[in-house]
Amino acid sequence: MPHDIRGGHETHWRQFGHGPRAALMIHCSLASSGAWAGVAEHFKDDLTMTAFDLPSHGKSARWDRRGDLQDLCVAMAKDFWTAQAGEAGPVLDGPVDVIGHSFGATVALRLAVEHPEKIRSLTMIEPVYFAIYYADDPDARAEHEAQNAEYRAAVARGDDAAAAKAFVGAWGDGRPWDSLAPEARARMIEQIHTISAVAPAIYDDRSGIIASGALERLDLPVLLIDGAQSSPHIATINEGLKRRIKGAQRVQVQGGHMAPITDPAPVAQALRAHLFGGS
C-alpha cells in the first residue's frame, strides 16, 4: 500500500482495478480504504480506483486532534492531484469520478464544491449531511438528538466503549456489537472520538455549503444513493440535496447504511449506470 504526505498528513492508500478511467473513493467513519473492495471488483476493467485511509483510520497516521477534521480530509483528497515530495508522487491527473460513503460523502461534496475542476462526476452514498435535514425541517434536530441519546450520553461521560457500541448499533452493518472481533471493537473504540469531531461540519453547515448557495451552483453529474433498509433520515437528506443540485439523480438500492460493504452489487449497478450510462 503506497503512502506519502497528503494535506500535511501521513496518508496511506490503495488502488483497485486497472481501467482507463480514474476514480477517487472516500470511505465512511470507523472503516478503511479496504471497505471499497466489493464495489471496486465490479469495475476492475473499467476504472483505476484510488482509495485512501482517513486520519486515524486504516494505516494513515492518527489525527492529532488539532484543527478541523473534515478540513483535513478535504485537504488530503485534494492533494491527490498535486505532486508531492517523496517516492509516491502524484496519483491523479485531470478530472476524475469521486465516490464517497457516509462521512466520506460529505468530504466528496466539499471537494466538488471547492474544487469542481477536479471532478468529472460525484457519487454520494448514504451522505450523513444532517445540516440539509435540519435546514429543511428546523424541528428535526431535537428529534434526531433524542434518537441518539444513548450515544450522546456516553460521549458526555467520556465512555468511548459505550459510545462506539451505540454508534455502531445505529450506523453499522447490522451485526451485534458483541459479535464483532475483539480487535475490531478495540479499533472502533479508539476511533470513536472522530465522530464527535466532525459534528460541526455535518450538523451545522460549518463550511457554509448550504448558506452560500454552492449546491445550486454545482454543475456536474451527481448521483445520490441510499439503502432501502437505512435510516429514513438519509432518504430525506438525499431528497434535500436532489432539490438543490441541478440534474442530480437519486437511486435507492438494496441494503442499509453500509450497503457498499454488505450489498456491493446493487451499489455497483447504480454506479455503473451513472458513470457509463448503464453499459
Side-chain angles (χ1 to χ4, degrees):
M1 181 186 293
H3 70 279
D4 204 341
I5 301 300
R6 294 289 184 267
H9 192 82
E10 183 181 341
T11 305
H12 286 248
W13 66 91
R14 69 184 76 202
Q15 287 190 303
F16 301 101
H18 49 264
R21 182 163 165 165
L24 180 69
M25 309 175 97
I26 309 173
H27 68 79
C28 65
S29 296
L30 309 193
S32 73
S33 55
W36 290 110
V39 171
E41 180 64 21
H42 292 266
F43 296 96
K44 60 184 179 182
D45 296 324
D46 306 297
L47 299 173
T48 296
M49 295 155 278
T50 300
F52 69 96
D53 292 330
L54 297 175
S56 295
H57 293 71
K59 294 185 178 181
S60 286
R62 292 184 179 181
W63 178 47
D64 61 11
R65 305 197 188 197
R66 293 186 295 180
D68 181 88
L69 181 54
Q70 192 193 57
D71 284 352
L72 174 58
C73 296
V74 173
M76 290 165 69
K78 182 186 70 172
D79 270 6
F80 277 93
W81 282 264
T82 306
Q84 299 289 320
E87 61 182 22
V91 173
L92 301 176
D93 181 20
V96 308
D97 302 302
V98 176
I99 305 159
H101 173 216
S102 192
F103 170 68
T106 74
V107 175
L109 177 60
R110 274 195 57 190
L111 187 67
V113 165
E114 296 172 13
H115 303 281
E117 74 282 356
K118 301 182 183 299
I119 316 298
R120 179 190 295 118
S121 73
L122 172 65
T123 300
M124 290 181 277
I125 306 168
E126 290 274 316
V128 288
Y129 192 26
F130 277 90
I132 287 282
Y133 186 27
Y134 301 157
D136 289 346
D137 183 359
D139 295 329
R141 184 164 194 148
E143 176 191 357
H144 182 238
E145 290 180 351
Q147 291 171 346
N148 288 312
E150 183 180 354
Y151 164 77
R152 290 165 56 81
V155 170
R157 65 176 184 269
D159 188 341
D160 288 349
K165 180 179 180 180
F167 182 83
V168 171
W171 296 103
D173 61 9
R175 289 178 293 169
W177 174 255
D178 292 339
S179 74
L180 301 177
E183 58 269 24
R185 295 199 301 267
R187 183 176 64 251
M188 292 176 183
I189 291 168
E190 183 180 348
Q191 296 168 332
I192 196 63
H193 68 278
T194 64
I195 303 301
S196 297
V198 300
I202 66 174
Y203 293 123
D204 300 324
D205 190 34
R206 186 196 56 78
S207 60
I209 289 176
I210 301 172
S212 68
L215 295 175
E216 287 80 0
R217 292 192 297 272
L218 268 182
D219 186 20
L220 70 161
V222 175
L223 175 65
L224 304 159
I225 298 178
D226 47 270
Q229 286 77 53
S230 186
S231 163
H233 300 320
I234 298 297
T236 302
I237 291 169
N238 275 350
E239 276 300 304
L241 288 167
K242 184 173 183 283
R243 284 196 304 274
R244 290 170 171 85
I245 300 173
K246 178 177 59 179
Q249 301 296 311
R250 179 185 162 213
V251 176
Q252 190 171 82
V253 301
Q254 173 184 321
H257 185 64
M258 300 302 287
I261 298 173
T262 61
D263 298 270
V267 171
Q269 182 179 10
L271 183 57
R272 178 169 294 278
H274 175 53
L275 300 182
F276 301 107
S279 63

